[in-house]
Amino acid sequence: MQPSLTSLPQTQAFLARQPKMLIDGAWQDAISGATMPVRNPATAEVLCRVPSAQEIDVDRAVAAARKAFDDSAWSRTRPRDRQNLLWRLSDLIERDAQLLAELECVNNGKSATIARVMDVQLCIDFLRYMAGWATKIEGSSVDVSMPQMPNAHFHSFIRREAVGVVGAIVAWNFPLLLACWKLGPALATGCTVVLKPADETPLSALKLAELMAEAGYPDGVLNVVTGSGAIAGAALSRHPGVDKLTFTGSTEVGKLIGKAAMDSMTRVTLELGGKSPTIVLEDADPRIAAAGAAAAIFFNQGQVCCAGSRLYVHRKHFDNVVGEIASIADGMKLGNGLDPNVEMGPLISEKQQQRVFGYIEQGRQLGAHVACGGAQFGPGYFVKPTVMVDVDQKGPLVQEEIFGPVLVAMPFDDIDDAIRMANDSRYGLGASIWTNNLSAAHRMVPKIKSGSVWVNCHSALDPAMPFGGFKLSGIGREMGAAAIDNYTELKSVIMNV
Ligand code: NAD
């Protein structure tokens, strides 16, 4: 029987309201009145329209965040209050988890069932982890050795202070989770935020803003500007009133944001693209490794920054592992993410779908073969899960981020060969090694040039473990204690007492 594809009445009511953006505690249109459509990628239908912020709207949002940081009750909140507010926010997310999962589903295309247990649950866990940090932000005292008068006495200490107004710009692949990765440390440390969700996926950020107001955050602590990257994102990234920029998105845009930040010495962290290798050693169980490699690339339609999009398999197992992944891919159920049985949804947009087909076609012309998939499915922006073999390590299929359900697979003969090919990339976000040989894994880990290395798992992220990239995959780390460092400044105080 075909399951019902109807979303909750609350989800429908949220969409029917024509969501506005939040500036200084008020739900507002763009001053120009401009709006932009928000689509469901499973059907290509327009779900609603949201304001399309222009520079003047970004100015208003930054001014509200500045006022809240400098003057409001927020600047005087005690760590315990910041902890309690974050915990309260996580409780409200838990209460509305199904609604948030459905918004992610209809706006991004991902499965609502998976969004509930992954995206939304990870937000809840992350905000609770960050709530704990609010009361553990510490400075230190130092005995100084400066040349001094015989009777002089100094008291010297280092304060760790909130960095100020944060401009957060995020991608569309995990709209709510990426927003929470920025908000958690910002709110724990006492910063205020202007959040610019991706053009395609503003809905869960707007719902999150509603929940923050309900949790009791003062006006202006979070402002959400919806709009295009080229206008609203660019205005935010060059805004002199922003103290710190935090960006998750493509390396191409990350470079623009990094350059804009340097002009005003705005603090900046960049979480960028990836082309992460999955390496299957000779001793690995081919079936287990194949299941792991399939999940590593096909989760979230391959639209994961650390997706295992390059597969290196010991030659002995190559045909087996590729055959097994192809049969997993062929058996995946594609469709509308409101159907709880669906394993793979559409890509985010027609543009992204065409980009992925472009890479597959280019690969074919360069001599690669499609082991499975490579074709369209249904009326939405679907691409069947695809595996390509006979690819060139130096070619675009292996070197460029496709950001879709496309795996490129290559054999290797010895471990040094595998490490060399894994590191032969401009990116360095994640890597997984599949093996039962503990000493081989330990010897490989230091040689892999990426911010995360997983053994017998892939894309395993935990709030306590820093996440970020080497090389073109970014600058800085999210999560763990490193996130707190990125949202604070150190102030050295020397008192002649
Ligand atoms: P994108 O870079 O096109 O857009 C990301 C955000 O930047 C959006 O909000 C967009 O509106 C904004 N933007 C676009 N142009 C801008 C400009 N000129 N100035 C300021 N802002 C601008 O990326 P995308 O297509 O939305 O997302 C996919 C990319 O994100 C992939 O490369 C993926 O690897 C990366 N990503 C990285 C991580 C990570 O943690 N490293 C996580 C998720 C996604």
Side-chain angles (χ1 to χ4, degrees):
M1 195 177 79
Q2 174 73 14
S4 157
L5 297 184
T6 314
S7 50
L8 290 174
Q10 295 94 308
T11 311
Q12 293 166 27
F14 182 88
L15 295 172
R17 272 206 314 266
Q18 298 294 327
K20 296 181 190 267
M21 56 189 179
L22 183 70
I23 299 178
D24 206 9
W27 295 99
Q28 309 203 9
D29 291 316
I31 284 185
S32 67
T35 61
M36 55 199 283
V38 179
R39 286 180 196 279
N40 181 343
T43 59
E45 69 176 321
V46 174
L47 291 164
C48 59
R49 298 187 73 85
V50 293
S52 178
Q54 311 293 305
E55 187 155 5
I56 191 169
D57 304 302
V58 174
D59 284 346
R60 290 190 298 149
V62 173
R66 171 58 57 200
K67 186 169 65 135
F69 184 74
D70 288 341
D71 308 331
S72 82
W74 177 246
S75 59
R76 294 184 297 280
T77 50
R78 290 173 299 172
R80 188 197 63 181
D81 300 330
R82 296 203 299 271
Q83 165 199 275
N84 292 351
L85 275 169
L86 264 176
W87 199 274
R88 169 100 182 108
L89 177 62
S90 71
D91 284 346
L92 294 176
I93 293 175
E94 196 163 47
R95 182 197 69 191
D96 287 352
Q98 187 57 30
L99 162 60
L100 285 161
E102 287 189 3
L103 287 177
E104 293 298 68
C105 168
V106 296
N107 194 183
N108 168 280
K110 62 179 71 192
S111 149
T113 308
I114 296 173
R116 170 64 192 90
V117 296
M118 294 296 292
D119 304 45
V120 180
Q121 191 57 46
L122 288 171
C123 291
I124 295 165
D125 294 345
F126 180 70
L127 293 179
R128 288 179 180 162
Y129 169 83
M130 278 297 159
W133 267 109
T135 53
K136 293 159 198 73
I137 298 166
E138 295 177 345
S140 57
S141 71
V142 181
D143 286 339
V144 293
S145 310
M146 300 179 301
Q148 47 191 261
M149 301 296 288
N151 292 330
H153 184 82
F154 293 100
H155 176 52
S156 309
F157 55 98
I158 301 165
R159 285 174 51 77
R160 188 173 279 285
E161 300 180 352
V163 68
V165 173
V166 172
I169 302 174
V170 296
W172 42 256
N173 55 338
F174 292 92
L176 185 67
L177 183 59
L178 298 180
C180 285
W181 282 1
K182 314 297 187 197
L183 277 173
L187 299 174
T189 52
C191 297
T192 58
V193 180
V194 177
L195 170 66
K196 214 294 282 169
D199 313 25
E200 299 84 353
T201 53
L203 298 183
S204 54
L206 295 173
K207 182 64 202 172
L208 185 64
E210 257 183 49
L211 295 180
M212 276 188 62
E214 187 181 343
Y217 281 93
D219 293 348
V221 171
L222 171 66
N223 307 273
V224 182
V225 287
T226 52
S228 77
I231 297 174
L236 186 58
S237 63
R238 63 170 179 261
H239 202 293
V242 171
D243 299 304
K244 178 198 163 56
L245 285 162
T246 173
F247 172 74
T248 298
S250 62
T251 295
E252 186 190 358
V253 174
K255 286 182 186 175
L256 295 177
I257 288 177
K259 285 175 189 156
M262 278 309 107
D263 276 347
S264 47
M265 287 297 154
T266 304
R267 279 67 186 121
V268 64
T269 40
L270 303 169
E271 297 292 338
L272 308 177
K275 189 77 182 179
S276 300
T278 301
I279 307 165
V280 180
L281 299 192
E282 187 176 4
D283 72 283
D285 179 326
R287 285 183 74 90
I288 293 175
I297 181 62
F298 298 138
F299 174 62
N300 212 45
Q301 296 68 252
Q303 301 168 132
V304 179
C305 51
C306 54
S309 49
R310 290 183 288 147
L311 175 67
Y312 299 103
V313 186
H314 190 275
R315 197 174 297 278
K316 184 174 116 185
H317 295 310
F318 185 77
D319 290 343
N320 255 348
V321 169
V322 168
E324 185 72 24
I325 296 172
S327 88
I328 292 170
D330 286 338
M332 288 181 88
K333 181 172 161 68
L334 275 63
N336 189 318
L338 288 172
D339 176 346
N341 300 316
V342 154
E343 294 164 287
M344 182 176 277
L347 301 194
I348 187 69
S349 61
E350 186 176 6
K351 183 174 148 210
Q352 189 65 14
Q353 183 193 39
Q354 291 314 314
R355 178 184 144 91
V356 171
F357 282 135
Y359 272 109
I360 294 171
E361 189 45 40
Q362 186 185 21
R364 276 191 178 115
Q365 283 171 15
L366 291 171
H369 292 102
V370 175
C372 69
Q376 186 157 353
F377 170 88
Y381 312 131
F382 292 87
V383 175
K384 286 189 176 171
T386 302
V387 179
M388 301 196 70
V389 294
D390 302 322
V391 292
D392 171 11
Q393 168 69 28
K394 299 286 181 198
L397 233 49
V398 177
Q399 293 296 329
E400 293 175 22
E401 185 184 43
I402 299 175
F403 218 54
V406 180
L407 179 66
V408 294
M410 287 148 284
F412 66 84
D413 293 304
D414 65 57
I415 289 183
D416 287 341
D417 213 20
I419 294 170
R420 188 184 48 74
M421 289 200 286
N423 286 337
D424 177 22
S425 169
R426 299 177 303 153
Y427 295 108
L429 196 51
S432 65
I433 303 165
W434 295 78
T435 180
N436 293 310
N437 182 339
L438 198 57
S439 82
H442 271 295
R443 274 186 267 119
M444 286 177 76
V445 167
K447 294 180 181 164
I448 301 282
K449 297 194 187 321
S450 67
S452 294
V453 180
W454 300 286
V455 177
N456 296 329
C457 54
H458 196 106
S459 298
L461 305 184
D462 185 274
M465 297 287 283
F467 179 69
F470 285 23
K471 302 191 266 184
L472 285 193
S473 290
I475 293 177
R477 295 291 181 271
E478 297 200 289
M479 302 198 269
I484 297 297
D485 294 349
N486 283 326
Y487 287 79
T488 49
E489 290 272 22
L490 294 180
K491 181 179 282 175
S492 294
V493 183
I494 299 181
M495 301 172 73
N496 185 353
V497 291

